[in-house]
């Protein structure tokens, strides 16, 4: 069947009308990929995109666990196995009260294109639970993770589906999940990535998403003979991605002005230097506190409750918190304040209206599926090291990460350059990601 973008989206809406985030992600891809399909006979009329928007498998399961007060709690767990044309399913697990099928399907769909862009053989998947880790004790986290894995284990494996972290799932959770998988399978295997360094983890994996986001921005700035030296940078979030994006900006000579969490943002006009960032890492990763507590240590900073940081004047913006955290008005404020480059560390943090504003102003804008792909790429490198029973040095992994980000940038240029020389990184990433997966699907027949 041959379809226009509108006809295609109508069909997808009919089946998924109650899933706004998923529809948003599909629409962005369809608008750029369908015009490409129409011009290329090998893809035309084969319903490839329609096959790609339907998960190969969607698993939903009950997770029962007992809290510290002895109460029985019930959560919902999911794993979306979206596409395995180019490799085993790969993608993170999110633990957050907002988690539902729409959010995980958008993340799994994005993951298919992102993993394809990394140049590594990984299909796309995503999973998680509506469990809220905030305020839970370590023992509660452990009991939940063990209960979650006691069902998930039968659906995953090192050659089938390899989960990792995402919002609310970091080193602590990966440890508990791995422990239960190992016990149930009686097998020590690289079934999860983001593991601890002494039990199969890769150096640089914790840093990789944030570093990669900045490496990608560096590549974009290079196209304008520019770099991070002296740049004022606004970062949102204060979790894994935000922390290491901030660290890399500092190493490259930029100034980080903000960090945030779901409570609000802090603005430090003197810059968040290495020492201050160490404090934030301790506050967030060990103490599990709120970003507002930054002011207890650095009272010269400002805290804006309930607000996002996009009103702070900057040259570069790195949204590293969550989906749809930067809307059209925020984009217009950033542009008015002279922002020249936006590199997404989070998945789909910019709304459709925000992206349109960036494109209209022809600034450098990188969608998450390209700019935050360093995390999953380094997970791919962790899988390779596990298979080889070997460990690369920090420098070796970092160099591979830089090369991968540079290759992704090249792919975006190949498919995203407009006639006037402007690079539409959204179109570039979508088409480059699509072509590899579509070719594999065509080669494998209708399955
Ligand atoms: N970890 C990884 O390797 C990768 C992550 N990503 C994406 O990066 C983003 C951040 O992930 P990560 O750093 O790992 O997660 P973390 O859980 O480590 O940190 C998430 C951060 O985002 C904030 N946040 C979460 N939800 C909201 C919200 N609704 N509104 C405002 N702030 C919010 C959190 O604040 P609070 O603590 O208050 O909730 C926290 O500061 C996500 O979009 C994720 O999908 C993409 C590629 C790889
Ligand atoms: O490292 C991984 O497998 C997961 C990364 C991830 O979830 C993402 O890229 O959004």
């Amino acid at each position: 069947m041959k379809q226009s973008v509108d006809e295609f989206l109508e069909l997808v809406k009919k089946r998924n009308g109650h899933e706004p985030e998923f529809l948003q992600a599909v629409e962005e891809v369809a608008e750029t990929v369908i015009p490409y399909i129409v011009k290329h006979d090998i893809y035309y009329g084969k319903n490839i995109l329609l096959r790609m928007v339907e998960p190969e498998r969607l698993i939903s399961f009950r997770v029962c666990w007992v809290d510290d007060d002895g109460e029985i709690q019930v959560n919902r767990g999911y794993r979306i196995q979206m596409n395995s044309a180019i490799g085993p399913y790969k993608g993170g697990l999110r633990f957050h009260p907002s988690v539902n099928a729409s959010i995980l399907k958008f993340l799994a769909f994005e993951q298919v294109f992102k993993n394809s862009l990394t140049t590594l053989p990984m299909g796309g998947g995503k999973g998680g639970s509506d469990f809220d880790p905030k305020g839970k004790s370590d023992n509660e986290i452990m009991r939940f993770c063990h209960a979650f894995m006691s069902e998930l284990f039968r659906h995953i494996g090192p050659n089938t589906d390899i989960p990792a972290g995402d919002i609310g799932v970091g080193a602590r959770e990966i440890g508990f999940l791995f422990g239960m998988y190992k016990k149930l399978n009686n097998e020590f295997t690289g079934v999860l990535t983001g593991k601890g360094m002494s039990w199969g983890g890769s150096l640089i994996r914790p840093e990789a998403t944030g570093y990669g986001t900045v490496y990608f921005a560096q590549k974009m700035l290079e196209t304008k003979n520019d770099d991070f030296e002296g740049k004022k940078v606004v970062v949102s979030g204060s979790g894994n991605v935000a922390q290491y994006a901030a660290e890399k900006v500092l190493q490259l000579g930029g100034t980080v002005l903000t960090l945030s969490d779901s409570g609000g943002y802090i603005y430090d006009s003197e810059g968040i230097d290495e020492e201050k960032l160490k404090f934030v890492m301790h506050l967030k990763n060990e103490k599990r506190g709120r970003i507002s507590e930054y002011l207890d240590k650095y009272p010269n900073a400002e805290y804006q409750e309930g607000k996002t940081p996009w009103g702070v004047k900057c040259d570069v913006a790195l949204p590293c918190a969550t989906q749809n955290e930067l809307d059209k008005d925020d984009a217009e404020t950033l542009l008015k304040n002279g922002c020249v480059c936006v590199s997404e560390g989070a998945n789909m943090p910019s709304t459709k209206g925000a992206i349109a504003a960036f494109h209209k102003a022809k600034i450098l804008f990188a969608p998450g599926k390209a700019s935050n792909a360093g995390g999953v790429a380094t997970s791919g490198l962790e899988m390779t090291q596990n298979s080889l029973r070997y460990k690369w040095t920090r420098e070796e992994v970092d160099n591979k990460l830089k090369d991968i980000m540079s290759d992704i940038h090249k792919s975006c240029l190949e498919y995203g350059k407009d006639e006037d020389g402007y690079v539409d990184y959204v179109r570039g990433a979508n088409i480059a990601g699509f072509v590899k997966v579509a070719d594999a699907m065509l080669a494998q027949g209708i399955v």
Side-chain angles (χ1 to χ4, degrees):
M1 194 170 19
K2 298 165 185 178
Q3 286 147 358
S4 68
V5 175
D6 286 346
E7 284 166 334
F8 171 81
L9 289 174
E10 213 35 61
L11 266 176
V12 180
K13 260 183 211 152
K14 235 184 220 166
R15 265 197 193 148
N16 308 279
H18 54 297
E19 296 181 340
E21 294 85 1
F22 179 57
L23 291 174
Q24 183 184 341
V26 171
E27 193 172 333
E28 182 212 282
V29 167
E31 282 174 354
T32 48
V33 166
I34 291 182
Y36 180 83
I37 292 176
V38 168
K39 286 196 209 130
H40 293 81
D41 283 348
I42 57 162
Y43 305 121
Y44 195 49
K46 298 191 173 112
N47 270 347
I48 298 185
L49 201 55
L50 201 58
R51 287 189 256 166
M52 285 174 73
V53 298
E54 197 58 29
E56 290 179 10
R57 199 170 294 105
L58 191 156
I59 302 150
S60 165
F61 52 96
R62 185 181 73 182
V63 187
C64 300
W65 59 283
V66 180
D67 70 18
D68 286 349
D69 297 327
E71 292 284 329
I72 298 166
Q73 300 289 340
V74 183
N75 285 100
R76 190 170 287 176
Y78 301 88
R79 187 70 184 165
I80 318 280
Q81 299 182 329
M82 198 76 197
N83 192 298
S84 60
I86 62 167
Y89 309 106
K90 180 85 194 89
L93 295 171
R94 175 175 293 192
F95 292 169
H96 193 273
S98 64
V99 161
N100 57 33
S102 171
I103 289 181
L104 293 180
K105 276 172 70 180
F106 115 65
L107 289 163
F109 184 66
E110 291 277 294
Q111 200 79 47
V112 173
F113 292 80
K114 184 194 305 193
N115 292 5
S116 166
L117 285 169
T118 65
T119 70
L120 302 175
M122 300 182 290
K126 200 90 185 190
S129 174
D130 57 2
F131 171 73
D132 186 358
K134 275 201 199 88
K136 304 285 189 302
S137 70
D138 283 351
N139 272 330
E140 288 177 321
I141 298 285
M142 181 181 73
R143 286 197 292 276
F144 175 79
C145 289
H146 285 172
F148 182 84
M149 186 53 89
S150 72
E151 172 59 33
L152 185 68
F153 85 99
R154 61 186 102 247
H155 307 290
I156 62 174
N159 295 307
T160 306
D161 184 352
I162 306 93
D166 189 78
I167 290 179
V169 178
R172 173 181 61 166
E173 290 74 17
I174 294 292
F176 295 144
L177 292 164
F178 185 79
M180 183 50 88
Y181 181 89
K182 180 163 65 64
K183 182 182 168 97
L184 294 172
N185 280 279
N186 191 23
E187 189 180 63
F188 195 112
T189 185
V191 67
L192 290 157
T193 59
K195 298 184 291 296
M197 296 307 145
S198 60
W199 43 280
S202 174
L203 289 161
I204 296 287
R205 176 61 189 92
E207 294 89 338
T209 310
Y211 279 16
T213 301
V214 176
Y215 291 150
F216 198 91
Q218 205 180 9
K219 281 280 149 200
M220 292 199 292
L221 288 167
E222 261 174 43
T223 65
K224 307 274 178 203
N225 297 317
D226 205 349
D227 58 32
F228 267 97
E229 190 63 48
K231 291 277 179 303
K232 289 193 164 60
V233 182
V234 160
V235 180
S236 68
S238 51
N240 172 267
V241 180
Q243 291 171 15
Y244 289 105
E247 182 169 281
K248 186 52 72 182
V249 168
L250 296 181
Q251 289 170 7
L252 295 177
T255 302
V256 177
L257 294 175
T258 64
L259 286 170
S260 71
D261 62 21
S262 54
Y265 76 89
I266 54 121
Y267 167 47
D268 189 333
S269 59
E270 291 158 17
I272 301 165
D273 60 18
E274 278 86 357
E275 192 196 308
K276 294 172 179 175
L277 187 58
K278 246 195 204 133
F279 169 81
V280 172
M281 287 180 175
H282 178 75
L283 173 70
K284 285 288 172 183
N285 308 344
E286 316 294 330
K287 215 177 140 209
R288 301 191 188 273
R290 310 303 302 153
I291 200 65
S292 55
E293 293 169 57
Y294 183 90
L295 268 69
D296 298 345
K297 175 92 173 158
Y298 304 107
N300 286 344
E302 286 170 32
Y303 176 63
Q304 297 286 343
E305 192 170 340
K307 295 210 172 118
T308 50
W310 313 122
V312 173
K313 196 170 166 18
C314 66
D315 306 301
V316 178
L318 304 176
C320 296
T322 194
Q323 65 273 1
N324 293 327
E325 57 165 313
L326 194 166
D327 66 15
K328 181 169 179 268
D329 290 346
D330 299 322
E332 277 162 3
T333 306
L334 282 166
L335 291 167
K336 192 176 73 195
N337 283 339
C339 176
V340 294
C341 174
V342 179
S343 185
E344 294 186 336
N347 285 309
M348 208 170 73
S350 309
T351 63
K352 201 176 170 200
I355 297 173
F358 294 141
H359 280 164
K360 190 165 168 227
K362 293 195 186 278
I363 67 157
L364 300 166
F365 170 74
K369 63 171 79 72
S371 46
N372 73 34
V376 73
T378 309
S379 279
L381 300 176
E382 182 172 327
M383 288 162 65
T384 306
Q385 292 168 84
N386 291 164
S387 299
L388 294 171
R389 304 236 186 281
Y390 195 66
K391 204 164 172 65
W392 291 320
T393 63
R394 206 179 148 79
E395 197 184 11
E396 281 171 312
V397 182
D398 198 23
N399 285 337
K400 288 182 203 301
L401 169 62
K402 279 184 199 151
D403 287 347
I404 288 170
M405 297 317 294
S406 172
D407 287 345
I408 297 174
H409 186 262
K410 268 189 218 139
S411 299
C412 290
L413 295 192
E414 184 183 343
Y415 290 102
K417 216 170 208 169
D418 289 343
E419 271 169 16
D420 65 359
Y422 177 67
V423 182
D424 179 340
Y425 287 90
V426 175
R427 191 176 78 237
N430 287 345
I431 297 175
F434 168 81
V435 164
K436 187 172 158 191
V437 176
D439 288 348
M441 287 173 70
L442 288 177
Q444 291 164 27
I446 302 164
V447 286

